[in-house]
Every structure is written in structure tokens, then in C-alpha cells.
Amino acid sequence: MSRSLHLATYLLAFDTRAQSLQDRTRAGYLLRAAALAELAHRGAAAEEASGRVRVVTDTPTEDAVLDTLLAELATRPRTWKAWIRRSRDDTLEAVEQRLGVLGVLSVSDRDPYGPVVPRRAVTLADPREARDLQTRVAELVRGGGPVAEAPFADAVLAALAAHGHLRLVLSRHDRRAHAERVTAFTDRLAAEAPGLARAVAGLNLTMVAGQGGTGGS
């Protein structure tokens, strides 16, 4: 995968037909979880026996999104779940800005004299990148090769798509029919950060509680 995990997660959650994310609030949770998984995989953050997260190294990652999150982690010990829930909007905006700088997307300006719209249209330079990624992750969950041979980033994307109820990628039937593979992909994350894997497995319930509504189908 050419994109870093958190940038790929944005594309995974992007609806190319609607020219917007499937659900911006949902995407915020997923992006935070993806960035945390990336820091754990790099060895920059780790889990203490208490379940709280500690910074192992504050060496810059050369990624503004990850460096900002790493600075957050250093401020106070919290659980993975707590960090997923915090500053989600800031991370989402930072990811969009980064993708804009990379030329992956552009965001339309609001008309100051026009009607108030709930969100601005986002245009991908190459929508096929998002669609191809969504297809690849869906096929991976449905049985595309041994779970152990999938790259770590792909395993995390599969877990996020399933537990985050990204209907663009996996239907409810897919999640149920391939529950064992979803668990296996989640276990790949658990091998490096058990508490984070548990937080990812409970993502939909966390989102439901945070939104005060029902989860995605």
C-alpha cells in the first residue's frame, strides 16, 4: 500500500459517488484508530500494564498528522479508547489538508452568499484509488488469501472496515459471513497493541454511544 495507514483509511471511508465521506463523524473515529495503530506499529507508542498508552520515542515521524498525535499522547496517560475519542475532528481536518497538499483531493469553497450546506464537496483527483482500495479490502475479508500473509496495514484496514461498519466496503452480511476472518485480522493488531485491538473491535458501540444514535448497517 503506497499511502500511510491513516491516509488510506480516509480513502477507504470515501463515497466517490456522493463526493464525501460516508459519515464524517464515523471517519473521525476510524482515522484516530488508524493513526494510533500506525504509531504502535512503528514502535513510537506502546501499552502499559495498566492499559494506558505511553510514548516510547518522540522522534519526529515526518508526518504532521502522526507527529501531532504523538505530542497529544505525551500530555497525559489515557487508554487507547480514550485517545480514539479525543480530537477526532482535528485529525480528520489534518488528514484532509495533507491529502490536499499531496494532490489527492480538493475541497470546494463555500459560497459566502449562498445557502448553508452541511458539508463541502470533496473531489478526488483519481476516484479509482478509493474504489480500488475498497474493493481490495472487501476481497481480503471475503477470503482473499491467508490472513497471516496480509501486510499489517491491510489487516488493520480490514478490521476498521468491519468494526467501523463501513457499508461502502462490507455489508452486514459480509461482516457476519466472514466474522472469523475479521477476528483474525483484528488479532494481527492485538499482537502489537491488545488494548487498541479491543477498542477497534468495539468501535461501533463507541460511535453509537458518542453519537447518541444507531450504528451503521
Side-chain angles (χ1 to χ4, degrees), residues 91-173:
T91 297
L92 174 53
E93 291 182 8
V95 167
E96 283 185 325
Q97 290 174 3
R98 179 59 180 162
L99 288 171
V101 170
L102 292 173
V104 177
L105 60 76
S106 59
V107 182
S108 64
D109 293 328
R110 288 191 176 92
D111 182 353
Y113 304 104
V116 176
V117 294
R119 63 173 66 90
R120 291 176 291 178
V122 177
T123 303
L124 296 185
D126 184 4
R128 292 174 300 178
E129 183 178 3
R131 291 196 295 264
D132 289 349
L133 178 61
Q134 292 161 5
T135 298
R136 181 162 60 83
V137 171
E139 291 176 347
L140 190 62
V141 172
R142 293 169 185 152
V147 171
E149 295 181 7
F152 175 80
D154 285 356
V156 174
L157 288 174
L160 290 174
H163 296 301
H165 289 200
L166 283 179
R167 62 179 181 272
L168 290 167
V169 184
L170 299 168
S171 67
R172 179 182 297 180
H173 172 76

Side-chain angles (χ1 to χ4, degrees), residues 17-80:
R17 292 185 178 182
Q19 295 190 73
S20 66
L21 292 164
Q22 173 187 311
D23 179 327
R24 287 189 68 85
T25 300
R26 186 174 300 271
Y29 284 96
L30 296 174
L31 290 173
R32 290 286 288 191
L36 288 167
E38 196 158 358
L39 289 176
H41 187 58
R42 290 176 179 228
E47 185 175 322
E48 297 180 331
S50 64
R52 299 184 183 278
V53 182
R54 64 181 176 86
V55 173
V56 177
T57 174
D58 58 1
T59 302
T61 66
E62 299 184 359
D63 182 299
V65 176
L66 295 181
D67 288 341
T68 298
L69 178 54
L70 197 57
E72 285 185 57
L73 299 182
T75 61
R76 180 179 175 181
R78 302 179 189 272
T79 63
W80 295 109

